[in-house]
Amino acid sequence: MDFPLLLIIIIGLALIFDFINGFHDAANSIATIVSTKVLTPFQAVAWAALWNFAAFFVAMYIIGEFKIGNTIAKTVNEDFINLEVIFSGLIAAIFWNLLTWWFGIPSSSSHTLIGGFLGAALMHALMLDYHAVAAAHPDYNVFQNLGEAFQKLFTQSVVKYEKVIPIFLFIFMAPIIGMIVSVIITLIIVNISKNTNPHKADSQFKKWQLFSSALFSLGHGLNDAQKVMGIIGAAVIYYHVTMIGGSDPYAMMESSERFKHFSTDYIWVPFVSFLAIGLGTMSGGWKIVKTMGTRITKVTPLEGVSAETAGAITLFLTDHLGIPVSTTHTITGSIIGVGLTKRVSAVRWGVTVSLLWAWILTIPVSAIIAAVTYLLVTAVT
């Protein structure tokens, strides 16, 4: 099958974003295991990358579906998706990811992708409404056209709120769940091992941290690789339904069934999505390691096990629910949780508040960048 050039570019950009996501989020998987000196940075990224990729086989052959990818593909009403929308969203996501990586800000790759997709789709809908108003009222000036177009936009179901609202809620819920679970796990471990020789306990927890970091990296792969898969899926489904149409099987099947068929018909898409994030993790994310591993709170091997296990449990839970979350938010909440078990002042709240602002701003800033990108793309095409 011959894909149009823009669709090929979108697939390429999506995989580039996936790779960038890997090195941007590498610190999430390796920060605690590096800061506790269980592994060297190179060993840690290799270990994390292995389990990022292994998540493909878990999703495909154990879970049997890609719920998060399906959620991402359906955050926007199909009537307001086209290739230019997806392209613009990806450009915005890549720009914001690289910008935050450069400044060492552990923002969410997941939310920048979602924000970009939403922003470009909303601008696409607004432009459709603007041209419709302008055609119906040739006597209107630009501001009158825009005013009425905005009014029409608010009456349309561009965004699928039943998909998007849980994503917004879990910006805050994921780190809170991670924090609560890490507090519980830390307290349980401390009480069980309180009579153990400290040196022996430290040695044991360093071994356990290999297991807990593998679990977190597995959850990271399950969560993040599927988001890119969802974006590619939205583009490929648009191609089948709108650009081919007619008797194409995707055009004839129910909308709810399309992504499931896509994930089996194009099995290479999830495979390379998980591979790309693993390769990205291998390339590292050294600028963010210090923030995640030491600036929030000092972490011991025991606390590393607690934080990573709590983060993994949170990611497995949200994967089961099909809610895309930020692995950055999740592990940050888990690290804060282990800090709280010592004392409230053990958490450097100034750093934490700065991270919170970065998280809150990611979706709206990405949406604005994507909206502007969409205008530029449509102006030159």
Side-chain angles (χ1 to χ4, degrees), residues 208-375:
W208 275 103
Q209 216 181 338
L210 287 171
F211 177 71
S212 62
S213 66
L215 278 180
F216 184 78
S217 295
L218 193 69
H220 178 218
L222 276 174
N223 189 70
D224 283 32
Q226 288 192 54
K227 294 161 188 171
V228 166
M229 176 189 166
I231 290 294
I232 295 174
V236 171
I237 290 168
Y238 170 82
Y239 166 70
H240 278 281
V241 173
T242 305
M243 299 183 75
I244 298 179
S247 59
D248 186 275
Y250 284 83
M252 299 178 71
M253 70 177 66
E254 290 292 326
S255 175
S256 59
E257 295 294 315
R258 287 169 183 160
F259 190 83
K260 182 179 178 181
H261 282 270
F262 158 78
S263 63
T264 52
D265 293 344
Y266 293 89
I267 188 62
W268 60 269
V269 172
F271 182 85
V272 296
S273 295
F274 282 85
L275 179 61
I277 200 168
L279 292 173
T281 299
M282 275 293 293
S283 72
W286 315 123
K287 282 179 174 287
I288 301 174
V289 171
K290 184 179 178 182
T291 300
M292 299 301 295
T294 58
R295 284 179 62 197
I296 294 174
T297 186
K298 296 291 183 181
V299 179
T300 66
L302 181 156
E303 294 158 351
V305 169
S306 299
E308 289 162 349
T309 305
I313 289 170
T314 306
L315 291 176
F316 292 144
L317 172 65
T318 54
D319 179 73
H320 175 71
L321 297 173
I323 301 172
V325 298
S326 167
T327 52
T328 307
H329 299 187
T330 303
I331 195 63
T332 302
S334 300
I335 293 172
I336 289 171
V338 298
L340 288 174
T341 61
K342 292 180 281 191
R343 60 187 185 280
V344 175
S345 62
V347 178
R348 296 184 174 94
W349 294 105
V351 175
T352 305
V353 170
S354 298
L355 296 181
L356 183 62
W357 275 111
W359 299 348
I360 292 170
L361 292 172
T362 291
I363 289 181
V365 170
S366 300
I368 292 168
I369 296 169
V372 173
T373 303
Y374 177 80
L375 288 177

Side-chain angles (χ1 to χ4, degrees), residues 149-177:
F150 270 111
Q151 289 179 6
K152 288 187 66 177
L153 181 66
F154 291 124
T155 65
Q156 296 167 316
S157 301
V158 180
V159 177
K160 290 191 175 181
Y161 291 103
E162 70 275 14
K163 299 288 185 183
V164 172
I165 288 174
I167 295 172
F168 274 87
L169 289 176
F170 269 77
I171 290 176
F172 307 100
M173 289 298 295
I176 290 171
I177 293 170

Side-chain angles (χ1 to χ4, degrees), residues 25-93:
D25 285 3
N28 299 338
S29 299
I30 71 171
T32 55
I33 204 167
V34 171
S35 65
T36 55
K37 296 180 171 60
V38 173
L39 294 176
T40 66
F42 177 77
Q43 290 171 332
V45 292
W47 184 246
L50 171 67
W51 292 102
N52 280 170
F53 179 59
F56 165 76
F57 300 97
V58 173
M60 188 70 194
Y61 300 108
I62 297 177
I63 299 173
E65 58 182 326
F66 299 93
K67 284 186 179 179
I68 289 176
N70 190 27
T71 299
I72 293 292
K74 293 178 179 176
T75 52
V76 171
N77 188 322
E78 289 182 352
D79 294 338
F80 300 98
I81 294 175
N82 62 21
L83 296 184
E84 288 79 11
V85 164
I86 298 170
F87 174 80
S88 301
L90 279 169
I91 292 294

